[in-house]
Structure formats: C-alpha cells, structure tokens
Amino acid sequence: MINVSEVMKTAPAEFKTPLQQLVYTTLEQLDIGFERVENDEAITMEDCIQINERLQMKTVKTLFLCNRQQTNFYLFVTTADKPFVTKDLSSALGISRVSFAPADLLLSMLGTAVGATTIFGVLLDTENKVQLVIDSDVLKEEWYGCSDGTTTSYMKIDTQWVVNSFPEYARHPAKIIQI
C-alpha cells in the first residue's frame, strides 16, 4: 500500500527532473488541463491501483523497447491490465523481435528511469529515434493516466488530446495498433 495525496490541478512547486519540468511547462504553454497526485514511489502496475482510485482513471502501461541490435526504439503504450507479449507486438509492427531497451538508454534518450516511463519522454527525443506506438485499446478510455516522468507523481489528462494532438506537437506521429 502506498500513500497518495489529494488531487491537485497545479504543477509541483519543485521539479525533480528536467523531464518533469518539461511536462508541466508544455501543458501550461498549450493550456492543457490536468489533475495529478503525489505518491510514494510507484514502480509496478499494482502500485498504481490506489493512484487510479484517487484520480478516477486507469494508468496506462508504457514500455521502452528496442530491436536486438538496439538500432530501432519503440515507446509502446497499452492498457495496464493487458499482458505484454513481445511476439504479439513484434507481429503487429512487422519486425522480427523486440525486447526491453536497457535502462541507461531509457534515461539518456527519454529522460526517465525504469518505472517512470511516460509518453512525454518523446519531447526529449529531438532526433526522432523513438517510434511512438499506441495500443488501440488505450483509446477506449476517456482519461489517460500516466507518470509525469517520475515515480512519485502521476497525472490524468484527456485521452483524445494525448493520442491525437500530443504526438503531432512532439513531432512523433503515433502508430496505432491492435494487439
């Protein structure tokens, strides 16, 4: 059981990472509303259950993946309750095999540690090395729940904005797939 704060509608008073600051600066510049909570460190999807309850939404699962040669990278967003099967994603993408990318590459490319992976990490991928891939089941939810780039703060944003407008803004067109 983790502690979860009351819901807030403002950015943190102090930012823990450059990515977290970029997330809130971007949302403010684009005038995108959000709700957020602060919480004890949350790493697993089980940790997110109380966060989901407090924000009245479902947190997505965001995975940083790569091919065997570590030359192609994918940020895959799916529903939290869906088991991740690498062969299913590989098949949907039409590639031979994907696996989890190393934690050091997650940090250097997307500005976050394991457990805090977020769609907003693509804002730091200025060379467009990461392909954004979204499971179509994510679109079924009104709200998109995700980390703000830390393991101690989660947010709720309109799913349609995240899937339809954010990728264009971030210059990372999303590939929508069915798994």
mmCIF file of all heavy atoms in Angstrom, residues 16-20 41-44 61-65 75 100-121 124 146-154:
data_model
loop_
_atom_site.group_PDB
_atom_site.id
_atom_site.type_symbol
_atom_site.label_atom_id
_atom_site.label_comp_id
_atom_site.label_asym_id
_atom_site.label_seq_id
_atom_site.Cartn_x
_atom_site.Cartn_y
_atom_site.Cartn_z
ATOM 1 N N LYS A 16 11.587 17.502 -9.881
ATOM 2 C CA LYS A 16 12.603 16.503 -9.531
ATOM 3 C C LYS A 16 13.521 16.166 -10.692
ATOM 4 O O LYS A 16 14.629 15.689 -10.480
ATOM 5 C CB LYS A 16 11.922 15.240 -9.010
ATOM 6 C CG LYS A 16 11.171 15.477 -7.718
ATOM 7 C CD LYS A 16 10.506 14.229 -7.211
ATOM 8 C CE LYS A 16 9.780 14.557 -5.910
ATOM 9 N NZ LYS A 16 9.062 13.433 -5.395
ATOM 10 N N THR A 17 13.030 16.352 -11.922
ATOM 11 C CA THR A 17 13.840 16.022 -13.099
ATOM 12 C C THR A 17 13.566 17.062 -14.191
ATOM 13 O O THR A 17 12.504 17.699 -14.199
ATOM 14 C CB THR A 17 13.488 14.629 -13.670
ATOM 15 O OG1 THR A 17 12.161 14.674 -14.227
ATOM 16 C CG2 THR A 17 13.576 13.536 -12.610
ATOM 17 N N PRO A 18 14.503 17.206 -15.129
ATOM 18 C CA PRO A 18 14.238 18.101 -16.268
ATOM 19 C C PRO A 18 13.002 17.668 -17.071
ATOM 20 O O PRO A 18 12.245 18.523 -17.533
ATOM 21 C CB PRO A 18 15.512 17.985 -17.112
ATOM 22 C CG PRO A 18 16.576 17.607 -16.125
ATOM 23 C CD PRO A 18 15.883 16.713 -15.127
ATOM 24 N N LEU A 19 12.787 16.370 -17.218
ATOM 25 C CA LEU A 19 11.606 15.908 -17.949
ATOM 26 C C LEU A 19 10.334 16.328 -17.234
ATOM 27 O O LEU A 19 9.389 16.812 -17.859
ATOM 28 C CB LEU A 19 11.618 14.391 -18.157
ATOM 29 C CG LEU A 19 10.354 13.818 -18.821
ATOM 30 C CD1 LEU A 19 10.120 14.439 -20.206
ATOM 31 C CD2 LEU A 19 10.446 12.302 -18.922
ATOM 32 N N GLN A 20 10.283 16.171 -15.932
ATOM 33 C CA GLN A 20 9.087 16.558 -15.191
ATOM 34 C C GLN A 20 8.800 18.046 -15.407
ATOM 35 O O GLN A 20 7.656 18.437 -15.653
ATOM 36 C CB GLN A 20 9.247 16.259 -13.700
ATOM 37 C CG GLN A 20 7.984 16.539 -12.907
ATOM 38 C CD GLN A 20 8.172 16.406 -11.413
ATOM 39 O OE1 GLN A 20 9.194 16.823 -10.865
ATOM 40 N NE2 GLN A 20 7.181 15.814 -10.744
ATOM 41 N N GLU A 41 6.878 6.171 -3.930
ATOM 42 C CA GLU A 41 7.394 5.623 -5.174
ATOM 43 C C GLU A 41 6.513 4.488 -5.686
ATOM 44 O O GLU A 41 6.195 3.556 -4.957
ATOM 45 C CB GLU A 41 8.820 5.125 -4.980
ATOM 46 C CG GLU A 41 9.455 4.704 -6.270
ATOM 47 C CD GLU A 41 10.926 4.414 -6.139
ATOM 48 O OE1 GLU A 41 11.290 3.584 -5.288
ATOM 49 O OE2 GLU A 41 11.692 5.008 -6.898
ATOM 50 N N ALA A 42 6.101 4.602 -6.941
ATOM 51 C CA ALA A 42 5.269 3.583 -7.588
ATOM 52 C C ALA A 42 6.041 3.052 -8.792
ATOM 53 O O ALA A 42 6.374 3.812 -9.693
ATOM 54 C CB ALA A 42 3.937 4.185 -8.029
ATOM 55 N N ILE A 43 6.321 1.769 -8.789
ATOM 56 C CA ILE A 43 7.107 1.153 -9.864
ATOM 57 C C ILE A 43 6.255 0.165 -10.661
ATOM 58 O O ILE A 43 6.334 0.109 -11.873
ATOM 59 C CB ILE A 43 8.342 0.410 -9.295
ATOM 60 C CG1 ILE A 43 9.236 1.367 -8.508
ATOM 61 C CG2 ILE A 43 9.115 -0.286 -10.391
ATOM 62 C CD1 ILE A 43 9.947 2.400 -9.338
ATOM 63 N N THR A 44 5.431 -0.593 -9.968
ATOM 64 C CA THR A 44 4.656 -1.646 -10.625
ATOM 65 C C THR A 44 3.231 -1.181 -10.904
ATOM 66 O O THR A 44 2.752 -0.197 -10.331
ATOM 67 C CB THR A 44 4.582 -2.901 -9.736
ATOM 68 O OG1 THR A 44 3.810 -2.587 -8.567
ATOM 69 C CG2 THR A 44 5.976 -3.370 -9.322
ATOM 70 N N LYS A 61 0.187 1.479 -19.313
ATOM 71 C CA LYS A 61 1.493 0.830 -19.201
ATOM 72 C C LYS A 61 2.325 1.355 -20.367
ATOM 73 O O LYS A 61 1.903 1.265 -21.520
ATOM 74 C CB LYS A 61 1.321 -0.683 -19.302
ATOM 75 C CG LYS A 61 2.585 -1.476 -19.095
ATOM 76 C CD LYS A 61 2.398 -2.977 -19.302
ATOM 77 C CE LYS A 61 1.119 -3.559 -18.798
ATOM 78 N NZ LYS A 61 1.027 -5.015 -18.937
ATOM 79 N N THR A 62 3.497 1.922 -20.067
ATOM 80 C CA THR A 62 4.360 2.497 -21.092
ATOM 81 C C THR A 62 5.709 1.796 -21.044
ATOM 82 O O THR A 62 6.383 1.820 -20.019
ATOM 83 C CB THR A 62 4.528 4.018 -20.877
ATOM 84 O OG1 THR A 62 3.236 4.608 -20.766
ATOM 85 C CG2 THR A 62 5.294 4.646 -22.016
ATOM 86 N N LEU A 63 6.084 1.169 -22.161
ATOM 87 C CA LEU A 63 7.289 0.347 -22.221
ATOM 88 C C LEU A 63 8.259 0.882 -23.265
ATOM 89 O O LEU A 63 7.851 1.233 -24.373
ATOM 90 C CB LEU A 63 6.904 -1.094 -22.573
ATOM 91 C CG LEU A 63 5.844 -1.743 -21.681
ATOM 92 C CD1 LEU A 63 5.404 -3.074 -22.259
ATOM 93 C CD2 LEU A 63 6.356 -1.906 -20.265
ATOM 94 N N PHE A 64 9.538 0.903 -22.906
ATOM 95 C CA PHE A 64 10.586 1.333 -23.834
ATOM 96 C C PHE A 64 11.279 0.082 -24.358
ATOM 97 O O PHE A 64 11.878 -0.673 -23.601
ATOM 98 C CB PHE A 64 11.578 2.249 -23.120
ATOM 99 C CG PHE A 64 12.610 2.836 -24.021
ATOM 100 C CD1 PHE A 64 12.273 3.476 -25.204
ATOM 101 C CD2 PHE A 64 13.949 2.769 -23.678
ATOM 102 C CE1 PHE A 64 13.246 4.031 -26.030
ATOM 103 C CE2 PHE A 64 14.927 3.324 -24.488
ATOM 104 C CZ PHE A 64 14.569 3.956 -25.670
ATOM 105 N N LEU A 65 11.169 -0.118 -25.657
ATOM 106 C CA LEU A 65 11.614 -1.362 -26.288
ATOM 107 C C LEU A 65 12.582 -1.076 -27.430
ATOM 108 O O LEU A 65 12.663 0.060 -27.916
ATOM 109 C CB LEU A 65 10.398 -2.123 -26.817
ATOM 110 C CG LEU A 65 9.285 -2.346 -25.786
ATOM 111 C CD1 LEU A 65 7.970 -2.643 -26.463
ATOM 112 C CD2 LEU A 65 9.672 -3.441 -24.825
ATOM 113 N N LEU A 75 8.426 3.286 -28.131
ATOM 114 C CA LEU A 75 7.754 3.606 -26.884
ATOM 115 C C LEU A 75 6.332 3.101 -27.060
ATOM 116 O O LEU A 75 5.556 3.660 -27.840
ATOM 117 C CB LEU A 75 7.778 5.113 -26.611
ATOM 118 C CG LEU A 75 7.283 5.520 -25.228
ATOM 119 C CD1 LEU A 75 8.190 4.941 -24.142
ATOM 120 C CD2 LEU A 75 7.224 7.034 -25.105
ATOM 121 N N PHE A 100 13.041 -5.386 -24.109
ATOM 122 C CA PHE A 100 13.162 -4.175 -23.310
ATOM 123 C C PHE A 100 14.503 -3.518 -23.593
ATOM 124 O O PHE A 100 15.536 -4.180 -23.619
ATOM 125 C CB PHE A 100 13.021 -4.494 -21.816
ATOM 126 C CG PHE A 100 11.615 -4.849 -21.435
ATOM 127 C CD1 PHE A 100 11.227 -6.177 -21.335
ATOM 128 C CD2 PHE A 100 10.671 -3.867 -21.202
ATOM 129 C CE1 PHE A 100 9.924 -6.520 -21.008
ATOM 130 C CE2 PHE A 100 9.369 -4.193 -20.872
ATOM 131 C CZ PHE A 100 8.994 -5.522 -20.774
ATOM 132 N N ALA A 101 14.479 -2.228 -23.799
ATOM 133 C CA ALA A 101 15.713 -1.476 -24.008
ATOM 134 C C ALA A 101 16.416 -1.312 -22.660
ATOM 135 O O ALA A 101 15.769 -1.287 -21.608
ATOM 136 C CB ALA A 101 15.401 -0.112 -24.611
ATOM 137 N N PRO A 102 17.732 -1.192 -22.673
ATOM 138 C CA PRO A 102 18.481 -1.017 -21.426
ATOM 139 C C PRO A 102 18.071 0.257 -20.672
ATOM 140 O O PRO A 102 17.743 1.277 -21.296
ATOM 141 C CB PRO A 102 19.937 -0.918 -21.887
ATOM 142 C CG PRO A 102 19.962 -1.550 -23.239
ATOM 143 C CD PRO A 102 18.609 -1.282 -23.834
ATOM 144 N N ALA A 103 18.129 0.185 -19.355
ATOM 145 C CA ALA A 103 17.739 1.307 -18.505
ATOM 146 C C ALA A 103 18.576 2.550 -18.781
ATOM 147 O O ALA A 103 18.049 3.673 -18.724
ATOM 148 C CB ALA A 103 17.848 0.910 -17.034
ATOM 149 N N ASP A 104 19.843 2.377 -19.119
ATOM 150 C CA ASP A 104 20.678 3.554 -19.383
ATOM 151 C C ASP A 104 20.219 4.277 -20.651
ATOM 152 O O ASP A 104 20.290 5.501 -20.739
ATOM 153 C CB ASP A 104 22.163 3.196 -19.447
ATOM 154 C CG ASP A 104 22.514 2.219 -20.554
ATOM 155 O OD1 ASP A 104 21.727 1.306 -20.845
ATOM 156 O OD2 ASP A 104 23.609 2.379 -21.138
ATOM 157 N N LEU A 105 19.721 3.538 -21.637
ATOM 158 C CA LEU A 105 19.203 4.175 -22.844
ATOM 159 C C LEU A 105 17.867 4.869 -22.573
ATOM 160 O O LEU A 105 17.588 5.930 -23.130
ATOM 161 C CB LEU A 105 19.052 3.164 -23.976
ATOM 162 C CG LEU A 105 20.355 2.669 -24.596
ATOM 163 C CD1 LEU A 105 20.083 1.645 -25.695
ATOM 164 C CD2 LEU A 105 21.179 3.830 -25.135
ATOM 165 N N LEU A 106 17.055 4.284 -21.715
ATOM 166 C CA LEU A 106 15.799 4.926 -21.319
ATOM 167 C C LEU A 106 16.102 6.287 -20.692
ATOM 168 O O LEU A 106 15.487 7.291 -21.045
ATOM 169 C CB LEU A 106 15.027 4.033 -20.337
ATOM 170 C CG LEU A 106 13.785 4.630 -19.681
ATOM 171 C CD1 LEU A 106 12.737 5.007 -20.718
ATOM 172 C CD2 LEU A 106 13.208 3.648 -18.664
ATOM 173 N N LEU A 107 17.075 6.312 -19.818
ATOM 174 C CA LEU A 107 17.439 7.564 -19.151
ATOM 175 C C LEU A 107 18.044 8.565 -20.130
ATOM 176 O O LEU A 107 17.642 9.731 -20.154
ATOM 177 C CB LEU A 107 18.404 7.290 -17.995
ATOM 178 C CG LEU A 107 18.777 8.497 -17.146
ATOM 179 C CD1 LEU A 107 17.548 9.141 -16.525
ATOM 180 C CD2 LEU A 107 19.760 8.084 -16.065
ATOM 181 N N SER A 108 18.952 8.118 -20.960
ATOM 182 C CA SER A 108 19.632 9.059 -21.862
ATOM 183 C C SER A 108 18.737 9.522 -23.011
ATOM 184 O O SER A 108 18.826 10.671 -23.443
ATOM 185 C CB SER A 108 20.925 8.451 -22.409
ATOM 186 O OG SER A 108 20.649 7.370 -23.275
ATOM 187 N N MET A 109 17.845 8.674 -23.487
ATOM 188 C CA MET A 109 17.010 9.040 -24.641
ATOM 189 C C MET A 109 15.694 9.704 -24.255
ATOM 190 O O MET A 109 15.224 10.604 -24.946
ATOM 191 C CB MET A 109 16.732 7.804 -25.501
ATOM 192 C CG MET A 109 17.978 7.249 -26.169
ATOM 193 S SD MET A 109 17.667 5.725 -27.088
ATOM 194 C CE MET A 109 16.829 6.383 -28.527
ATOM 195 N N LEU A 110 15.083 9.234 -23.152
ATOM 196 C CA LEU A 110 13.757 9.726 -22.782
ATOM 197 C C LEU A 110 13.719 10.408 -21.421
ATOM 198 O O LEU A 110 12.647 10.792 -20.942
ATOM 199 C CB LEU A 110 12.733 8.591 -22.840
ATOM 200 C CG LEU A 110 12.555 7.945 -24.220
ATOM 201 C CD1 LEU A 110 11.530 6.825 -24.164
ATOM 202 C CD2 LEU A 110 12.188 8.970 -25.280
ATOM 203 N N GLY A 111 14.877 10.544 -20.785
ATOM 204 C CA GLY A 111 14.976 11.342 -19.571
ATOM 205 C C GLY A 111 14.297 10.804 -18.348
ATOM 206 O O GLY A 111 13.950 11.558 -17.444
ATOM 207 N N THR A 112 14.126 9.491 -18.288
ATOM 208 C CA THR A 112 13.421 8.926 -17.143
ATOM 209 C C THR A 112 14.003 7.579 -16.748
ATOM 210 O O THR A 112 14.702 6.938 -17.523
ATOM 211 C CB THR A 112 11.914 8.809 -17.454
ATOM 212 O OG1 THR A 112 11.225 8.434 -16.267
ATOM 213 C CG2 THR A 112 11.636 7.805 -18.536
ATOM 214 N N ALA A 113 13.710 7.183 -15.535
ATOM 215 C CA ALA A 113 14.166 5.897 -15.009
ATOM 216 C C ALA A 113 13.078 4.850 -15.196
ATOM 217 O O ALA A 113 11.913 5.174 -15.453
ATOM 218 C CB ALA A 113 14.495 6.036 -13.526
ATOM 219 N N VAL A 114 13.461 3.589 -15.049
ATOM 220 C CA VAL A 114 12.505 2.488 -15.101
ATOM 221 C C VAL A 114 11.427 2.737 -14.043
ATOM 222 O O VAL A 114 11.723 3.134 -12.922
ATOM 223 C CB VAL A 114 13.218 1.144 -14.850
ATOM 224 C CG1 VAL A 114 12.214 0.007 -14.733
ATOM 225 C CG2 VAL A 114 14.228 0.866 -15.950
ATOM 226 N N GLY A 115 10.191 2.530 -14.426
ATOM 227 C CA GLY A 115 9.076 2.752 -13.514
ATOM 228 C C GLY A 115 8.426 4.108 -13.707
ATOM 229 O O GLY A 115 7.320 4.339 -13.233
ATOM 230 N N ALA A 116 9.109 5.017 -14.405
ATOM 231 C CA ALA A 116 8.561 6.356 -14.627
ATOM 232 C C ALA A 116 8.402 6.652 -16.110
ATOM 233 O O ALA A 116 8.178 7.797 -16.502
ATOM 234 C CB ALA A 116 9.468 7.392 -13.977
ATOM 235 N N THR A 117 8.502 5.637 -16.939
ATOM 236 C CA THR A 117 8.401 5.830 -18.384
ATOM 237 C C THR A 117 7.061 6.476 -18.716
ATOM 238 O O THR A 117 6.020 6.069 -18.204
ATOM 239 C CB THR A 117 8.544 4.483 -19.114
ATOM 240 O OG1 THR A 117 9.712 3.827 -18.636
ATOM 241 C CG2 THR A 117 8.657 4.687 -20.607
ATOM 242 N N THR A 118 7.107 7.476 -19.564
ATOM 243 C CA THR A 118 5.908 8.233 -19.911
ATOM 244 C C THR A 118 5.955 8.646 -21.376
ATOM 245 O O THR A 118 7.037 8.820 -21.943
ATOM 246 C CB THR A 118 5.766 9.491 -19.020
ATOM 247 O OG1 THR A 118 4.613 10.227 -19.423
ATOM 248 C CG2 THR A 118 6.993 10.382 -19.084
ATOM 249 N N ILE A 119 4.793 8.813 -21.967
ATOM 250 C CA ILE A 119 4.706 9.270 -23.345
ATOM 251 C C ILE A 119 5.409 10.612 -23.525
ATOM 252 O O ILE A 119 5.933 10.920 -24.586
ATOM 253 C CB ILE A 119 3.229 9.347 -23.800
ATOM 254 C CG1 ILE A 119 3.136 9.462 -25.326
ATOM 255 C CG2 ILE A 119 2.492 10.465 -23.092
ATOM 256 C CD1 ILE A 119 1.735 9.269 -25.875
ATOM 257 N N PHE A 120 5.461 11.417 -22.479
ATOM 258 C CA PHE A 120 6.084 12.734 -22.564
ATOM 259 C C PHE A 120 7.594 12.666 -22.775
ATOM 260 O O PHE A 120 8.212 13.658 -23.155
ATOM 261 C CB PHE A 120 5.745 13.563 -21.324
ATOM 262 C CG PHE A 120 4.286 13.913 -21.246
ATOM 263 C CD1 PHE A 120 3.467 13.303 -20.317
ATOM 264 C CD2 PHE A 120 3.730 14.837 -22.118
ATOM 265 C CE1 PHE A 120 2.117 13.620 -20.250
ATOM 266 C CE2 PHE A 120 2.383 15.154 -22.066
ATOM 267 C CZ PHE A 120 1.571 14.547 -21.130
ATOM 268 N N GLY A 121 8.191 11.511 -22.583
ATOM 269 C CA GLY A 121 9.623 11.351 -22.822
ATOM 270 C C GLY A 121 10.024 11.653 -24.258
ATOM 271 O O GLY A 121 11.158 12.073 -24.513
ATOM 272 N N LEU A 124 11.953 14.782 -25.407
ATOM 273 C CA LEU A 124 13.419 14.855 -25.340
ATOM 274 C C LEU A 124 14.100 14.170 -26.516
ATOM 275 O O LEU A 124 15.306 14.325 -26.705
ATOM 276 C CB LEU A 124 13.914 14.242 -24.018
ATOM 277 C CG LEU A 124 13.445 14.952 -22.755
ATOM 278 C CD1 LEU A 124 13.908 14.187 -21.519
ATOM 279 C CD2 LEU A 124 13.943 16.390 -22.718
ATOM 280 N N CYS A 146 -0.938 8.652 -16.426
ATOM 281 C CA CYS A 146 0.476 8.332 -16.641
ATOM 282 C C CYS A 146 1.362 9.036 -15.623
ATOM 283 O O CYS A 146 0.943 9.954 -14.939
ATOM 284 C CB CYS A 146 0.906 8.717 -18.054
ATOM 285 S SG CYS A 146 0.919 10.496 -18.374
ATOM 286 N N SER A 147 2.597 8.605 -15.604
ATOM 287 C CA SER A 147 3.628 9.261 -14.823
ATOM 288 C C SER A 147 3.954 10.608 -15.459
ATOM 289 O O SER A 147 3.806 10.781 -16.666
ATOM 290 C CB SER A 147 4.876 8.367 -14.824
ATOM 291 O OG SER A 147 6.023 9.107 -14.493
ATOM 292 N N ASP A 148 4.435 11.532 -14.653
ATOM 293 C CA ASP A 148 4.897 12.810 -15.200
ATOM 294 C C ASP A 148 6.406 12.791 -15.435
ATOM 295 O O ASP A 148 7.043 13.831 -15.552
ATOM 296 C CB ASP A 148 4.494 13.977 -14.296
ATOM 297 C CG ASP A 148 5.186 13.947 -12.936
ATOM 298 O OD1 ASP A 148 5.985 13.029 -12.660
ATOM 299 O OD2 ASP A 148 4.931 14.868 -12.130
ATOM 300 N N GLY A 149 6.952 11.569 -15.487
ATOM 301 C CA GLY A 149 8.395 11.411 -15.669
ATOM 302 C C GLY A 149 9.113 11.082 -14.378
ATOM 303 O O GLY A 149 10.339 10.985 -14.347
ATOM 304 N N THR A 150 8.336 10.903 -13.309
ATOM 305 C CA THR A 150 8.894 10.479 -12.023
ATOM 306 C C THR A 150 8.080 9.274 -11.538
ATOM 307 O O THR A 150 7.021 8.984 -12.083
ATOM 308 C CB THR A 150 8.795 11.599 -10.952
ATOM 309 O OG1 THR A 150 7.415 11.783 -10.599
ATOM 310 C CG2 THR A 150 9.396 12.905 -11.456
ATOM 311 N N THR A 151 8.570 8.624 -10.510
ATOM 312 C CA THR A 151 7.807 7.521 -9.922
ATOM 313 C C THR A 151 6.962 7.997 -8.740
ATOM 314 O O THR A 151 6.314 7.203 -8.082
ATOM 315 C CB THR A 151 8.743 6.390 -9.440
ATOM 316 O OG1 THR A 151 9.673 6.941 -8.502
ATOM 317 C CG2 THR A 151 9.476 5.751 -10.601
ATOM 318 N N THR A 152 6.977 9.313 -8.499
ATOM 319 C CA THR A 152 6.285 9.852 -7.324
ATOM 320 C C THR A 152 5.209 10.882 -7.667
ATOM 321 O O THR A 152 4.750 11.608 -6.791
ATOM 322 C CB THR A 152 7.303 10.481 -6.353
ATOM 323 O OG1 THR A 152 8.053 11.480 -7.054
ATOM 324 C CG2 THR A 152 8.232 9.424 -5.770
ATOM 325 N N SER A 153 4.809 10.931 -8.915
ATOM 326 C CA SER A 153 3.731 11.833 -9.309
ATOM 327 C C SER A 153 3.080 11.298 -10.583
ATOM 328 O O SER A 153 3.760 11.011 -11.566
ATOM 329 C CB SER A 153 4.278 13.249 -9.549
ATOM 330 O OG SER A 153 3.225 14.148 -9.802
ATOM 331 N N TYR A 154 1.767 11.187 -10.535
ATOM 332 C CA TYR A 154 1.003 10.676 -11.674
ATOM 333 C C TYR A 154 -0.075 11.685 -12.041
ATOM 334 O O TYR A 154 -0.525 12.460 -11.191
ATOM 335 C CB TYR A 154 0.384 9.309 -11.346
ATOM 336 C CG TYR A 154 1.413 8.211 -11.450
ATOM 337 C CD1 TYR A 154 2.388 8.051 -10.478
ATOM 338 C CD2 TYR A 154 1.451 7.378 -12.556
ATOM 339 C CE1 TYR A 154 3.362 7.077 -10.599
ATOM 340 C CE2 TYR A 154 2.417 6.391 -12.673
ATOM 341 C CZ TYR A 154 3.375 6.253 -11.692
ATOM 342 O OH TYR A 154 4.341 5.293 -11.816
#
